[in-house]
Amino acid sequence: MKEESHLLPSGAQQSATVPIPVPGSSSDLLPHFLLEPEDVYIVKNKPVTLACKATPATQIYFKCNGEWVHQGDHIIQRSMNKTTGLPLMEVRIDISRQQVEKIFGLEEYWCQCVAWSTSGTTKSQKAYVRIAYLRKNFEQEPLAKEVSIEQGIVLPCRPPEGIPPAEVEWLHNEDLVDPALDPNFYITLEHSLVVKQARLADTGNYTCVAKNIVARRRSSPAAVTVYVPGGWSTWSMWSVCGADCTHWRSRECSDPAPRNGGDECQGPELETRNCTSELCTHGTNGSEDVALYVGLIAVAVCLVLLLLVVTLVYCRKKEGLDSDVADSSILTAGFQPVSIKPTKADNSHLLTIQPDLSTTTMTYQGSLCPRQDGPSKFQIGNGHLLSPLGSGRHTLHHSSPSADPVDFVSRFSTQSFFRSLPRGGANMAYGTFNFLGGRLMIPNTGVSLLIPPDAIPRGKIYEIYLTLHKQEDVRLPLAGCQTLLSPIVSCGPPGVLLTRPVILAMDHCVEPNPETWSLRLKKQSCEGTWEDVLHLGEPVPSELFHCQLEPQACYIFTEQLGRFALVGESLSMAASKRLKLVLFAPTTCTGLEYDVRVYCLSDTRDALKEVVQVEKQMGGQLIGVPRILHFKDSYHNLRLSIHDVPSSLWKSKLLVSYQEIPFYHLWSGLQPYLHCTFTLERLSTSICQLACKIWIWQVEGDGQSFNIDFNIAKDARFSDWLPPDNEAGSPALVGPSAFKIPFLIRQKIISSLDAPGARGADWRALAQKLHLDSHLSFFASKPSPTAMMLNLWEARHFPNGNLNQLAAAVAEVGKQDSSLFMVSEAEC
């Protein structure tokens, strides 16, 4: 018994209450283990079981991390070995996650068995218990490559840290890469994918997939392009010697022809040389020489005259521009850009910037009352006092529509912002503005730019543009759990001087929650890199940027024009973004097959507008009310399936039970128009009624279902289910017509509320009435806090804002001192 007491220290005996084994009648043999505990992993919160079996054994106990496990925690089974007749004993214990986490970070959790017999004790091997996990971010992801055919490719991949270590596999366009089937592929011990000799078929997206018993992670896809550089064919035979004593030969860039963006052949495709041994000369008589010289002199004279004319026109236009800027009529009324008819096709290359507005005349229809002082007073609290100014309009009429386009381009070619002006007109707006301000809007996208009064310095005239970019046209790098939550929008030209912040409005698709999201406003620098210029919710505000985040849209105050995007980084798997699910199908069907397309879009108006335009061009119709799905950062894919298709009328051609859109494709937000297609086949062309269900759900997440029941021969339903067009009209509004609040009344409110008022009747009280009191520090940092609030109200409520509600809020602030809100009748 001395040996047993040596194995059980006194402290362990008391804490574990392990009894001292009593010698039995079994043979005097040391116990040996038939089953020893093995290393195990705890997945999530499920406990694991360790077991050991020994013979001959009178008692078996577990010791974990040097301490005896309590006797009551053992599950013991005793039996007899039928072969040897010796006693056989099996013992099991359960290990929970909490037990392992108690010593986490100090050492690894281990357990071993100790078995007794009458001859002594035997210890088993140590079994380690580890908590299994797999981190989200890859230590190294594959990068896009462009390689020449037959060149080698190495795509590195270092999987996320995990226990047990992750296994790695590669996907090529979602198909598993198997080096056993294709010897051109090889996967190294460091998990890099090696393509020995690139083939055209190897072009595509490659994704590194890491997986263990806990999770499966996918890297960002790396686009590999295998190109074929062009090669010259052999030279043709030399041609017959010509009258100029030369002959030629040619070759073509066709051996091979360049493919997938490969370089064109370098060098001449036509070669000429002298084909006689003597120099060929051709005599000319004196009269021909005289004609030649006369012609050269005439050309020179014409060029000089043309240069003088161009110089004169340029000087006059420059004088016209200066007079426009100094004209007081421009400073007291607004501008509105004229719609320019497209030029002929052969001049399409000139449509790179706005039309020349320096030689324009301005006409104003309506009246702006001069500021006068009068003895009579009235209350501003009445709703009608904040109504817009009559039906005034501010327009521009171009005085020289046939101006020389070459001169137009040359006049702007020295401007610093010439190369930054946008091209195309479907997703852009532009106009010419002065200190009166104005507004640019891209209809039905939720994107607008408000230029408040006095944002542009007096005496300056700016040509400003607003552009909505397609995600595939702009490279926005995202890292880790980051996702694009808004459209990418540019306003410019960059670098212009602004004396007040402008307000850029755009939609977003985030469910904001500071516990689940870290939101940042990104701006692209002049060098092309993206920088974080504002961290929403950060206690230290930015001097140049501010963002008012609302459930559907964000309003960005900025004194610097440029390219912006709202990016979020999830802090937990509870973070979610809104997806809009939209169903389209062909308007007409002449054959047996009929496609139903399900789009999964970011819930922003610009994404919906783009898909609607594409579907209209394709002849598609909306077949269901759009739904919202909250897509969580759970790394689970989105699944789509179709059900209840009447088998007597239709059959589905889908070979699997559901389709799937990968998580990262949706979460990144950089692939805006993802969709799946369900192809159905009707048994007869006379069948027009389609009834079925489509289910869309995220694994372990939110889901939606569509009940489809319609006649495929009926008209489209765009007008029934799509949001109404509330932004019809000119994309550019300049001067007073761009604002709901009349200019003079706006100035009176600002002068009354900016200064501290009696009994708190100042801008802080108005902020509370407008539910903007969470932004007091930003408003207080500006020279006119009231102006900032009125600008935000204009950005949020145009064109359908309720002026009566604003008037009521202003009147409520002035209850205690109504004299603050009196204006003269002459000011209206």
Side-chain angles (χ1 to χ4, degrees):
M1 299 299 294
K2 292 181 180 180
E3 188 170 355
E4 283 80 0
S5 63
H6 173 72
L7 288 172
L8 296 175
S10 59
Q13 293 178 21
Q14 294 173 5
S15 61
T17 64
V18 178
I20 302 298
V22 178
S25 59
S26 58
S27 174
D28 294 337
L29 295 175
L30 284 174
H32 69 278
F33 288 95
L34 303 178
L35 174 66
E36 295 189 70
E38 297 180 347
D39 294 349
V40 290
Y41 299 97
I42 295 178
V43 179
K44 296 183 179 179
N45 293 317
K46 298 179 181 179
V48 295
T49 300
L50 297 179
C52 61
K53 184 186 296 185
T55 184
T58 56
Q59 289 192 28
I60 300 176
Y61 285 93
F62 272 92
K63 179 185 285 187
C64 294
N65 282 76
E67 296 183 0
W68 294 101
V69 177
H70 194 279
Q71 182 179 3
D73 296 332
H74 291 72
I75 302 174
I76 303 173
Q77 289 184 348
R78 299 178 184 272
S79 61
M80 187 69 67
N81 192 321
K82 297 180 180 180
T83 304
T84 62
L86 297 176
L88 184 65
M89 192 173 184
E90 181 177 357
V91 178
R92 297 189 303 274
I93 61 171
D94 291 333
I95 305 295
S96 68
R97 184 187 184 103
Q98 289 76 14
Q99 291 175 260
V100 178
E101 287 179 339
K102 284 181 181 179
I103 63 151
F104 182 75
L106 303 176
E107 56 180 323
E108 289 191 300
Y109 193 95
W110 59 267
C111 294
Q112 69 177 157
C113 288
V114 180
W116 285 268
S117 73
T118 55
S119 299
T121 61
T122 303
K123 295 181 181 179
S124 72
Q125 65 182 6
K126 288 183 178 180
Y128 290 90
V129 183
R130 300 179 176 93
I131 298 176
Y133 67 92
L134 184 61
R135 300 201 184 280
K136 294 183 179 180
N137 297 331
F138 280 71
E139 295 184 6
Q140 184 179 12
E141 292 190 297
L143 300 177
K145 291 182 179 293
E146 293 184 1
V147 298
S148 176
I149 194 168
E150 296 185 355
Q151 182 180 341
I153 306 173
V154 178
L155 297 175
C157 176
R158 292 172 59 192
E161 177 188 349
I163 293 179
E167 299 178 358
V168 171
E169 63 185 20
W170 284 85
L171 301 179
H172 175 211
N173 293 336
E174 302 302 321
D175 294 328
L176 182 65
V177 175
D178 189 352
L181 300 177
D182 190 345
N184 195 43
F185 291 106
Y186 173 69
I187 300 178
T188 67
L189 296 177
E190 293 79 21
H191 311 300
S192 298
L193 179 65
V194 178
V195 183
K196 299 176 183 177
Q197 288 186 320
R199 304 160 297 191
L200 288 177
D202 296 329
T203 296
N205 292 324
Y206 288 82
T207 307
C208 181
V209 180
K211 59 182 180 179
N212 66 4
I213 59 177
V214 178
R216 175 187 176 96
R217 312 287 192 213
R218 293 166 58 103
S219 71
S220 300
V224 173
T225 302
V226 181
Y227 62 86
V228 180
W232 289 113
S233 64
T234 57
W235 287 102
S236 66
M237 299 293 293
W238 287 101
S239 67
V240 179
C241 192
D244 57 351
C245 300
T246 62
H247 61 173
W248 56 270
R249 63 176 182 174
S250 64
R251 57 181 178 174
E252 296 180 352
C253 188
S254 59
D255 190 18
R259 298 179 63 181
N260 283 2
D263 294 336
E264 296 287 341
C265 301
Q266 301 297 319
E269 60 181 355
L270 188 67
E271 185 179 63
T272 62
R273 70 179 183 183
N274 194 298
C275 56
T276 64
S277 57
E278 298 178 357
L279 182 64
C280 289
T281 58
H282 299 277
T284 59
N285 54 38
S287 61
E288 292 178 348
D289 288 342
V290 172
L292 176 62
Y293 294 142
V294 171
L296 291 176
I297 293 173
V299 170
V301 171
C302 291
L303 290 176
V304 172
L305 292 175
L306 180 61
L307 180 61
L308 291 175
V309 172
V310 170
T311 303
L312 182 61
V313 171
Y314 175 79
C315 293
R316 289 191 175 184
K317 286 189 175 183
K318 185 175 181 181
E319 292 173 0
L321 179 60
D322 293 340
S323 63
D324 279 351
V325 174
D327 188 357
S328 62
S329 66
I330 294 179
L331 300 180
T332 57
F335 291 83
Q336 185 164 334
V338 68
S339 58
I340 304 299
K341 295 181 180 180
T343 60
K344 295 181 180 180
D346 56 352
N347 289 332
S348 60
H349 64 285
L350 299 177
L351 294 177
T352 57
I353 55 176
Q354 298 175 186
D356 182 3
L357 298 179
S358 63
T359 58
T360 58
T361 59
M362 183 277 303
T363 62
Y364 175 74
Q365 301 170 3
S367 61
L368 281 173
C369 3
R371 184 179 181 88
Q372 301 177 2
D373 294 326
S376 58
K377 304 283 184 179
F378 58 90
Q379 292 287 341
I380 197 173
N382 297 330
H384 67 278
L385 298 181
L386 292 180
S387 58
L389 291 179
S391 58
R393 295 292 184 267
H394 312 276
T395 61
L396 279 178
H397 299 284
H398 203 281
S399 62
S400 55
S402 59
D404 184 6
V406 176
D407 178 72
F408 165 69
V409 173
S410 65
R411 189 173 69 83
F412 279 92
S413 60
T414 58
Q415 301 283 350
S416 61
F417 59 87
F418 171 74
R419 290 183 298 275
S420 67
L421 285 175
R423 290 157 173 78
N427 286 325
M428 67 167 292
Y430 54 87
T432 304
F433 302 89
N434 63 3
F435 77 95
L436 291 173
R439 185 188 306 265
L440 291 174
M441 296 178 293
I442 302 177
N444 301 317
T445 63
V447 177
S448 66
L449 180 70
L450 179 75
I451 307 166
D454 288 322
I456 297 176
R458 292 179 180 251
K460 299 287 186 181
I461 297 176
Y462 291 163
E463 293 175 290
I464 296 180
Y465 64 83
L466 178 67
T467 304
L468 173 63
H469 297 279
K470 294 183 178 180
Q471 282 88 334
E472 58 265 28
D473 295 337
V474 178
R475 178 169 178 80
L476 174 61
L478 299 177
C481 304
Q482 290 183 341
T483 173
L484 179 64
L485 299 172
S486 74
I488 301 174
V489 178
S490 290
C491 53
V496 298
L497 174 65
L498 296 174
T499 56
R500 300 284 191 276
V502 299
I503 302 179
L504 176 64
M506 55 187 179
D507 288 356
H508 67 77
C509 60
V510 67
E511 293 293 319
N513 185 335
E515 296 181 358
T516 57
W517 281 105
S518 173
L519 302 178
R520 288 176 170 84
L521 178 67
K522 285 184 175 287
K523 180 177 182 292
Q524 192 173 30
S525 66
C526 298
E527 293 78 16
T529 58
W530 286 88
E531 302 171 345
D532 293 339
V533 295
L534 180 65
H535 187 182
L536 277 65
E538 200 171 41
V540 181
S542 169
E543 296 182 358
L544 298 177
F545 305 94
H546 180 73
C547 183
Q548 163 79 7
L549 189 68
E550 300 193 350
Q552 303 289 334
C554 58
Y555 299 91
I556 301 165
F557 292 78
T558 174
E559 297 182 26
Q560 294 180 354
L561 302 184
R563 184 172 295 170
F564 296 91
L566 183 66
V567 171
E569 182 173 2
S570 64
L571 304 179
S572 72
M573 290 189 180
S576 66
K577 56 187 292 188
R578 297 189 309 275
L579 297 182
K580 177 157 286 187
L581 309 177
V582 194
L583 272 61
F584 285 93
T587 307
T588 59
C589 179
T590 57
L592 297 178
E593 289 189 355
Y594 192 74
D595 293 335
V596 177
R597 292 179 290 276
V598 183
Y599 289 86
C600 304
L601 315 172
S602 296
D603 184 25
T604 56
R605 281 174 282 180
D606 62 289
L608 181 60
K609 173 186 175 182
E610 189 73 20
V611 168
V612 169
Q613 290 176 345
V614 170
E615 282 291 335
K616 284 185 176 180
Q617 294 173 0
M618 296 171 55
Q621 65 172 330
L622 196 67
I623 62 171
V625 181
R627 303 284 181 85
I628 298 298
L629 183 141
H630 293 85
F631 192 72
K632 292 186 177 181
D633 181 22
S634 63
Y635 289 88
H636 289 296
N637 297 339
L638 192 70
R639 292 182 177 177
L640 304 93
S641 60
I642 190 166
H643 304 272
D644 300 341
V645 178
S647 57
S648 60
L649 304 175
W650 297 81
K651 67 177 181 179
S652 172
K653 302 193 73 173
L654 190 65
L655 300 179
V656 294
S657 58
Y658 59 84
Q659 300 186 68
E660 199 166 50
I661 300 179
F663 169 83
Y664 285 100
H665 292 183
L666 288 164
W667 187 255
S668 69
L670 298 177
Q671 301 184 44
Y673 314 125
L674 292 170
H675 69 277
C676 286
T677 300
F678 294 96
T679 301
L680 303 174
E681 184 177 0
R682 53 181 174 172
L683 302 184
S684 170
T685 55
S686 62
I687 298 173
C688 294
Q689 196 68 26
L690 175 61
C692 61
K693 291 182 179 179
I694 291 182
W695 292 351
I696 305 158
W697 75 100
Q698 186 183 18
V699 180
E700 298 185 11
D702 193 13
Q704 291 284 2
S705 64
F706 290 83
N707 293 318
I708 298 174
D709 189 2
F710 75 107
N711 192 306
I712 66 175
K714 287 185 178 180
D715 296 334
R717 306 183 185 182
F718 283 107
S719 58
D720 296 336
W721 290 330
L722 290 177
D725 184 356
N726 294 326
E727 299 180 5
S730 173
L733 298 173
V734 187
S737 63
F739 304 96
K740 294 282 289 184
I741 307 172
F743 182 78
L744 297 179
I745 295 180
R746 166 191 167 91
Q747 294 302 106
K748 190 66 176 180
I749 296 174
I750 292 173
S751 61
S752 300
L753 294 183
D754 272 348
R759 289 173 287 184
D762 57 17
W763 65 270
R764 293 175 179 82
L766 181 61
Q768 186 175 9
K769 295 294 180 182
L770 299 180
H771 306 291
L772 298 175
D773 42 331
S774 60
H775 303 274
L776 291 180
S777 59
F778 168 72
F779 296 140
S781 66
K782 300 302 176 184
S784 174
T786 309
M788 293 297 102
M789 286 189 289
L790 296 182
N791 295 342
L792 180 58
W793 188 92
E794 292 277 7
R796 295 166 68 186
H797 296 94
F798 190 86
N800 300 318
N802 191 328
L803 281 172
N804 292 330
Q805 291 181 356
L806 178 62
V810 174
E812 184 71 19
V813 172
K815 271 185 179 180
Q816 298 174 346
D817 189 0
S818 59
S819 62
L820 292 176
F821 302 98
M822 304 292 287
V823 295
S824 65
E825 293 180 358
E827 290 178 332
C828 283

